[in-house]
């Protein structure tokens, strides 16, 4: 219901999810010309496989016109905010109200997923959607992922892998033969699936205590290539002689440079403050009046007015001396393409500076339009956060599986279990071949759950997914080199 640039990746993702089903349909109702919508979908999406695309022109907030889309028989309903609306959240809330408060509504519950931009509107949206709607706070989600990713190279690739339907996905499985076994026993019992958590008494827990006992009716949360790939195997045996006893070095104060400004900055600083060691510093450079930064405990924030696309401004900052660099898109003040163009210019300057200084910059940039990501890759920035793409993936996943709501709520919150990429030599001896069962044992000793690895030699190679492998086959042996990382779930 509704129309925005997010509709194209959403259609692509749902079509992939529908490949294991029979003939399916995606119905789109939006207040736009029907032929224009069909032409745009054909140009942007292409072949939709088994999935039929049905486009209807009408106002989703109008009860009579809503009936054209027959939402009462839909497996899931996605409500999109318009790209160019004055108050997109109001449009989403009113559209949801038209479904939930419809005199023709069905007797059972709807499964609605909607996007909100401003957290202040969540209370009203919850009243409208009740227990039938889940809300994705787009600005908050992107801010949190940007902060987490700027501190950990490769993390955005891990998130993209978990959120899209092409490759590794999250599934829930009940395995009666594992009743009475521990959570760690469950990890060893799958050769081609990565266990990441449990559902017990309806509560999702990621990275539970290793000796947590599985009971009747408990669900195991796994990462697998497909649902039919979730199969038990003979339990693996870790090689204890390879397990490393290295100790994590204390975290030192870090420096972060933020280039640009948008409304997500305040939340980013609050999130970064929670991760940072005392006396860490943040320098913000943006062509706006200085905003306020209140309530920060660990961060010393300084602001400089300047144009992040100016080479003179960047040279004067000594950007190569910062631990992390975040490039923000001017989403509220510029059209998407102009905002992305400015981001690209900044990234090109940063790349040139890195080459001339002979240094590797840890750069995380925010792209609004996913089509600009290929252009951005020539800058060799360390990670890319594509706003519309990530929100689209999240909406698609939640529309397909309501249980994922609690998983993502914990995964993307600053409390509870989160994903970390940590030096491989903390887990296994460097240069020694070992299987992933051994990595699981080493992670267990640290109170963590290992779910993959990142190879440093491919860290800047898009054809090798920037070196990231989520859910590796546990029987395959590999020798980890300096710079390689293990991907784990761990409590903050």
């Amino acid at each position: 219901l509704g129309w925005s640039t997010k509709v194209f990746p959403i259609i692509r993702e749902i079509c992939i999810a529908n490949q294991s089903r029979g003939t399916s349909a995606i119905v789109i109702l939006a207040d736009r010309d029907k032929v224009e919508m069909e032409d745009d979908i054909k140009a942007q999406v292409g072949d939709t496989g088994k999935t039929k695309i049905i486009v209807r022109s009408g106002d989703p907030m109008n009860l009579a016109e809503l009936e054209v889309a027959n939402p009462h028989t839909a497996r899931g309903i996605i409500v999109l905010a318009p790209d160019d609306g004055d108050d997109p959240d109001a449009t989403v809330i009113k559209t949801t109200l038209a479904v939930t408060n419809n005199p023709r509504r069905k007797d059972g519950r709807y499964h609605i997923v909607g996007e909100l931009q401003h957290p202040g509107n969540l209370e009203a949206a919850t009243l409208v959607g009740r227990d039938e709607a889940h809300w994705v706070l787009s600005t908050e989600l992107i801010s949190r992922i940007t902060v987490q990713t700027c501190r950990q190279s490769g993390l955005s690739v891990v998130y993209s892998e978990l959120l899209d339907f092409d490759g590794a996905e999250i599934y829930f499985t009940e395995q009666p033969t594992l009743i009475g076994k521990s959570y760690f026993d469950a990890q060893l019992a799958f050769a081609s699936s990565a266990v990441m958590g449990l559902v017990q008494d309806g509560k999702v827990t990621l990275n539970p205590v290793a000796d947590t006992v599985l009971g009747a009716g408990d669900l195991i949360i796994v990462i697998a290539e497909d649902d039919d790939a979730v199969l038990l195997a003979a339990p693996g045996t870790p090689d204890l002689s390879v397990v490393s006893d290295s100790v994590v070095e204390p975290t030192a104060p870090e420096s972060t440079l933020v280039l640009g400004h948008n409304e997500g900055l305040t939340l980013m600083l609050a999130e970064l403050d929670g991760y940072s060691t005392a006396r860490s510093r943040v320098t913000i450079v943006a062509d706006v009046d200085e905003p306020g930064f209140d309530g920060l405990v660990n961060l010393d924030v300084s602001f400089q007015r300047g144009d992040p696309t100016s080479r003179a401004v960047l040279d004067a900052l000594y950007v190569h001396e910062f631990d992390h660099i975040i490039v923000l898109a001017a989403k509220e003040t510029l059209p998407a393409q102009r905002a992305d163009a400015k981001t690209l210019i900044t990234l090109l300057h940063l790349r040139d500076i890195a080459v001339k200084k002979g240094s590797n910059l840890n750069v995380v940039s925010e792209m609004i339009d996913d089509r600009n990501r290929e252009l951005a890759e020539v800058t060799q920035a360390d990670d890319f956060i594509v706003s519309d793409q990530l929100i689209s993936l999240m909406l698609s996943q939640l529309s397909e599986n309501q249980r994922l709501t609690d998983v993502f709520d914990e995964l993307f919150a600053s409390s509870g279990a989160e994903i970390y990429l940590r030096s491989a030599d903390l887990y296994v001896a460097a240069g020694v071949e070992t299987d992933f069962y051994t990595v699981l044992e080493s992670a267990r000793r640290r109170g963590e759950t290992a779910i993959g690895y990142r190879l440093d030699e491919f860290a800047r190679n898009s054809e090798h997914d920037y070196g990231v492998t989520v859910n590796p086959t546990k029987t395959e042996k590999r020798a980890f080199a300096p710079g390689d990382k293990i991907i784990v779930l761990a409590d903050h």
Side-chain angles (χ1 to χ4, degrees):
L1 299 176
W3 182 274
S4 76
T5 54
K6 297 182 184 68
V7 76
F8 307 119
I10 287 174
I11 292 174
R12 283 194 292 268
E13 290 299 313
I14 295 178
C15 287
I16 294 172
N18 285 342
Q19 288 174 358
S20 59
R21 299 188 175 101
T23 303
S24 303
I26 299 173
V27 181
I28 299 160
L29 176 67
D31 198 7
R32 290 184 44 146
D33 181 78
K34 180 178 184 294
V35 175
E36 287 183 3
M37 288 190 286
E38 289 174 337
D39 289 344
D40 287 346
I41 292 171
K42 185 178 293 185
Q44 297 290 338
V45 179
D47 182 24
T48 59
K50 296 180 181 179
T51 305
K52 184 178 181 181
I53 308 299
I54 302 170
V55 178
R56 296 287 182 262
S57 182
D59 184 357
M61 294 182 287
N62 184 301
L63 291 178
E65 295 180 15
L66 181 63
E67 290 303 305
V68 177
N70 191 15
H72 318 300
T73 61
R75 184 175 73 246
I77 300 172
I78 298 175
V79 185
L80 292 180
D83 288 329
D84 53 359
D86 294 331
D87 191 352
D89 284 0
T91 301
V92 170
I93 292 171
K94 288 174 66 178
T95 300
T96 305
L97 183 63
V99 176
T100 59
N101 208 38
N102 194 318
R104 302 183 187 89
R105 67 158 293 153
K106 66 179 182 181
D107 293 333
R109 291 174 66 249
Y110 290 101
H111 174 37
I112 303 170
V113 181
E115 172 199 3
L116 293 176
Q117 295 185 5
H118 301 288
N121 293 321
L122 180 59
E123 186 174 354
T126 302
L127 290 174
V128 168
R130 299 187 294 274
D131 62 344
E132 298 180 285
H134 176 76
W135 303 103
V136 175
L137 295 171
S138 56
T139 301
E140 189 172 291
L141 177 66
I142 292 300
S143 299
R144 283 178 171 162
I145 292 179
T146 301
V147 167
Q148 292 178 12
T149 303
C150 87
R151 304 185 71 253
Q152 301 191 83
S153 173
L155 185 56
S156 68
V157 184
V158 179
Y159 283 149
S160 295
E161 178 73 7
L162 293 178
L163 286 171
D164 69 23
F165 287 103
D166 192 9
E169 298 173 52
I170 299 174
Y171 295 96
F172 299 80
T173 179
E174 186 175 358
Q175 298 290 342
T177 59
L178 293 180
I179 292 174
K181 301 286 189 180
S182 70
Y183 171 66
F184 186 66
D185 290 332
Q187 292 181 61
L188 299 176
F190 294 90
S192 58
S193 302
V195 176
M196 63 183 296
L198 299 173
V199 181
Q200 296 182 305
D201 298 325
K203 182 179 185 300
V204 166
T205 304
L206 302 182
N207 184 42
V209 177
D211 58 5
T212 301
V213 177
L214 276 70
D218 289 352
L219 298 177
I220 303 170
I221 308 171
V222 300
I223 303 168
E225 290 298 313
D226 206 345
D227 52 357
D228 57 9
V230 183
L231 300 171
L232 292 177
T237 304
D239 181 357
L240 301 185
S241 68
V242 184
V243 173
S244 172
D245 57 1
S246 298
V247 179
V248 179
E249 294 294 329
T251 305
E254 297 175 316
S255 59
T256 303
L257 173 64
V258 179
L259 299 172
H261 177 274
N262 61 37
E263 63 181 12
L265 178 59
T266 301
L267 181 58
M268 285 184 197
L269 292 176
E271 194 80 2
L272 186 59
D273 189 58
Y275 286 109
S276 299
T277 303
R279 299 186 305 281
S280 294
R281 63 186 180 92
V282 176
T283 301
I284 300 168
V285 179
D287 200 9
V288 298
D289 293 334
E290 181 174 358
F293 309 111
D294 299 323
L296 302 176
V297 176
N298 296 315
L299 296 179
D300 296 326
V301 180
S302 61
F303 177 84
Q304 175 182 325
R305 180 152 194 168
D307 182 1
T309 65
S310 167
R311 181 55 178 265
V313 169
L314 296 175
D315 283 336
L317 289 168
Y318 297 96
V319 296
H320 59 286
E321 295 182 357
F322 285 88
D323 296 312
H324 315 292
I325 301 174
I326 299 174
V327 183
L328 296 182
K331 294 184 285 190
E332 295 84 32
T333 56
L334 293 175
Q337 296 306 318
R338 283 188 61 195
D340 280 354
K342 289 177 73 69
T343 300
L344 283 167
I345 292 171
T346 300
L347 289 172
L348 287 168
H349 283 312
L350 291 174
R351 178 192 182 188
D352 188 57
I353 292 171
V355 170
K356 290 181 176 177
K357 293 291 184 182
S359 60
N360 291 321
L361 300 183
N362 177 12
V363 182
V364 174
S365 60
E366 189 178 25
M367 287 284 167
I368 301 172
D369 192 331
D370 189 50
R371 291 170 294 182
N372 293 320
R373 179 167 51 180
E374 292 184 9
L375 292 173
E377 284 181 352
V378 305
T379 68
Q380 299 180 1
D382 198 75
D383 270 301
F384 297 104
I385 300 298
V386 185
S387 302
D388 279 2
Q389 177 75 357
L390 282 173
I391 299 301
S392 302
L393 293 177
M394 178 75 86
L395 292 170
S396 304
Q397 285 281 355
L398 296 180
S399 74
E400 288 290 308
N401 192 339
Q402 199 168 3
R403 282 176 172 161
L404 287 173
T405 300
D406 293 335
V407 174
F408 291 145
D409 281 349
E410 181 168 355
L411 200 58
F412 295 118
S414 57
S415 59
E418 298 169 87
I419 296 176
Y420 294 90
L421 288 84
R422 293 182 170 155
S423 180
D425 60 14
L426 293 173
Y427 299 86
V428 292
V432 180
E433 278 202 348
T434 187
D435 58 27
F436 206 72
Y437 292 111
T438 304
V439 177
L440 291 177
E441 166 63 21
S442 186
R444 178 196 69 80
R445 297 183 180 196
R446 297 174 181 275
E448 303 169 354
T449 299
I451 61 171
Y453 56 79
R454 188 193 195 196
L455 303 180
D456 187 60
E457 64 174 312
F458 300 122
R460 296 184 181 276
N461 190 325
S462 60
E463 293 183 2
H464 289 83
D465 296 322
Y466 302 98
V468 169
T469 297
V470 176
N471 181 34
T473 301
K474 297 186 181 70
T475 53
E476 290 183 0
K477 292 194 173 184
R478 174 176 300 279
F480 292 101
D484 291 347
K485 306 287 186 182
I486 302 299
I487 305 168
V488 298
L489 281 163
D491 288 350
H492 178 57

